[in-house]
Amino acid sequence: MKLLLRILITAILVMGIAHIIPGIHVANFKTALIVAVVLGLLNIFIKPVLVILTLPVTILTLGLFLLVINAIIILLCANIVGGVSVDSFWTALFFSIVLSVLQSIMYKITREDN
């Protein structure tokens, strides 16, 4: 249930951010749901590999290179999912920062106490 809520929150955020930030285009809510699932899968399987491969650069930049990795994940997701387009790397970088911040806030609000 928690996973479905996270996917739904991410999809809503993707739709909202796409309406606010120029350069991000999402066709409809179904596409946003697919983006949420694909982003989750990419973050589980691809992102750790990229983080390990770029560890020296990440250490050298004091962790700021992780923002670049997040933007790459967004661009990769846009290439995988039809109905989604990102105009540039900088748009993807800004989108990933906004999405991460809003996800953190929303997950904190909807957190169930154990």
Side-chain angles (χ1 to χ4, degrees):
M1 190 65 173
K2 209 178 208 183
L3 178 63
L4 292 176
L5 181 63
R6 285 181 173 246
I7 290 171
L8 186 61
I9 288 171
T10 302
I12 292 168
L13 290 174
V14 166
M15 283 300 292
I17 296 168
H19 284 294
I20 295 170
I21 298 176
I24 304 288
H25 309 283
V26 180
N28 53 34
F29 188 72
K30 180 183 172 188
T31 305
L33 281 172
I34 295 169
V35 167
V37 171
V38 170
L39 276 177
L41 292 173
L42 289 173
N43 282 329
I44 290 171
F45 295 112
I46 304 299
K47 188 175 179 178
V49 174
L50 290 176
V51 168
I52 290 172
L53 290 175
T54 61
L55 193 59
V57 177
T58 304
I59 292 171
L60 188 64
T61 61
L62 302 175
L64 290 177
F65 194 74
L66 292 174
L67 296 173
V68 173
I69 292 174
N70 286 341
I72 291 170
I73 294 292
I74 297 292
L75 290 171
L76 185 59
C77 181
N79 285 331
I80 292 171
V81 178
V84 178
S85 67
V86 179
D87 289 349
S88 69
F89 172 80
W90 297 108
T91 306
L93 183 68
F94 187 58
F95 176 78
S96 70
I97 292 169
V98 171
L99 182 64
S100 296
V101 169
L102 291 178
Q103 278 180 329
S104 297
I105 292 169
M106 292 304 294
Y107 293 163
K108 190 78 160 173
I109 292 171
T110 60
R111 180 178 64 108
E112 295 178 13
D113 292 327
N114 294 329

